[in-house]
């Protein structure tokens, strides 16, 4: 079977998986980008869910090597898989067999390949540990970490070892013909905040850009991976200037992403929380749309959600009205942690407000698989 990237094109109300997108002579990066562009130009937004095939709100894959990967919280509610599957690689750099969330890398690899085979789009995030302190990605106790892994830094060689492990994993993502599958990679995210060791207050503009470029150069040049679409994803609460301040460059980035969550309003209530989210997100998407035009890039809501979905109509009354007028290529809600019942952002069968997700998913604009 020749590897074919199947673009997701909506025809009327049905989703059609076209036979191919672009020509086989093009790189995987170009072909995936062409598909995504065609979808955005058709006015469609692909719906994505993090870790969807690996586990759900109250289940997980038990046999990573053989499970048919047919289960999905999104499918159990809506009848369809998410069009975009987000997968997390944190702790792959340690060389072990499971991620920081306890997901076997073998399962992550199989899920990525299966999802692309089904015609979907895969995006990887990575929360690597802090090589300087030995802590997690959230260990922000030192502002020397990025400097230490750049060329000339004391941990540069060790960090190149981490990149090698990451590159080996990416290299193992092959279709039935042995060709590398195309996917989106979204490293060094939410760096306009300071909760990860690569965040704004932990490294200079130049160091951040060098970190991104080092990662890019390693995978594209040293490893020859022309199957990766690169996404840049600052966090909400930044203006257009702040958004672009650490931008690695048009030659590196393909998608201008944004991570933006609704925070449970507590005493102020859900209505106030939704209103705050709307009042921040819409102006941000306005400038993102403009930046996308100026730089010739796609735009995406690369992470979003309301933890625990404590609102009967977050999908249709908060999220959808905010995004519907923007040419977002995809919108991805975060994971449904099987071992933390309150830590979920996607729908699941039996959840009291599942019908609100169904209404969202049935919109002409929103594409599932
Ligand atoms: C966070 C939480 C964590 C998780 C991390 C990486 O937002 O969901 O529990 O470890 O993402 O997946």
């Amino acid at each position: 079977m020749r590897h074919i990237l199947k673009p997701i094109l909506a025809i009327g109300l049905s989703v059609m998986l076209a036979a191919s997108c672009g020509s086989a002579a093009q790189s995987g990066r170009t072909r995936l980008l062409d598909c995504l562009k065609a979808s955005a130009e058709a006015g469609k937004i692909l719906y994505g869910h993090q870790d969807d095939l690996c586990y759900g709100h109250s289940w997980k894959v038990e046999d990573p090597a053989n499970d048919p990967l047919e289960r999905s919280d999104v499918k159990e509610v809506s009848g369809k898989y998410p069009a975009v599957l987000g997968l997390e690689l944190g702790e792959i750099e340690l060389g072990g067999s499971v991620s920081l969330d306890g997901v076997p890398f073998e399962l992550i690899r199989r899920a990525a390949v299966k999802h692309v085979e089904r015609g979907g789009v895969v995006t990887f995030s990575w929360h690597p540990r802090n090589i300087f302190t030995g802590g997690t990605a959230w260990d922000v106790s030192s502002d020397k970490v990025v400097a230490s892994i750049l060329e000339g830094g004391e941990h540069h060689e060790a960090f190149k070892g981490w990149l090698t492990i990451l590159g080996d994993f990416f290299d193992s993502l092959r279709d039935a013909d042995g060709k590398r599958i195309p996917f989106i990679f979204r490293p060094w995210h939410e760096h306009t905040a300071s909760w990860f060791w690569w965040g704004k207050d932990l490294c200079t503009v130049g160091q951040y850009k060098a970190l991104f470029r080092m990662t890019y150069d390693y995978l594209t040049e040293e490893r020859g991976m022309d199957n990766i679409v690169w996404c840049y994803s600052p966090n909400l609460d930044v203006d257009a200037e702040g958004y672009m301040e650490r931008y690695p460059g048009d030659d590196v980035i393909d998608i201008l992403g944004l991570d933006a969550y609704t925070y449970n309003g507590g005493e102020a209530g859900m209505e106030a929380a939704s209103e705050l989210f709307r009042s921040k997100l819409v102006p941000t998407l306005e400038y993102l749309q403009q930046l996308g035009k100026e730089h010739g890039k796609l735009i995406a809501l690369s992470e979003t959600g309301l933890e625990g979905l404590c609102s009967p109509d977050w999908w249709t009354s908060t999220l959808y009205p905010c995004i519907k007028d923007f040419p977002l290529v995809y919108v991805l809600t975060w994971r449904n942690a099987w071992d933390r019942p309150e830590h979920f952002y996607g729908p699941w069968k039996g959840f009291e407000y599942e019908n609100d997700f169904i209404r969202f998913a049935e919109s002409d604009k929103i594409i599932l698989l």
Side-chain angles (χ1 to χ4, degrees), residues 88 100-101 127 138 334-335 340 343:
E88 164 60 35
L100 80 170
D101 297 322
H127 292 76
W138 291 266
W334 203 241
R335 67 198 194 103
R340 283 163 63 193
H343 192 57

Side-chain angles (χ1 to χ4, degrees), residues 63-123:
D63 183 0
N66 300 299
D67 188 279
L69 305 179
E70 278 160 6
R71 228 181 143 179
S72 149
D73 273 356
V74 170
K75 186 160 190 267
E76 284 174 13
V77 169
S78 69
K80 292 177 184 170
Y81 291 106
V84 176
L85 172 64
L87 294 165
E88 164 60 35
L89 296 176
E91 296 193 2
I92 195 163
E93 69 282 358
L94 303 184
S97 60
V98 299
S99 77
L100 80 170
D101 297 322
V103 187
F105 292 113
E106 169 67 2
L107 173 59
I108 296 176
R109 189 186 62 71
R110 289 188 61 236
V113 172
K114 171 66 91 183
H115 192 66
V116 169
E117 240 170 47
R118 286 187 178 133
V121 175
V122 166
T123 172

Side-chain angles (χ1 to χ4, degrees), residues 47-66:
Y47 169 67
H49 187 218
Q50 184 72 6
D51 286 351
D52 193 80
L53 299 180
C54 302
Y55 58 83
H57 179 257
S58 49
W59 60 274
K60 70 179 167 82
V61 165
E62 298 290 352
D63 183 0
N66 300 299

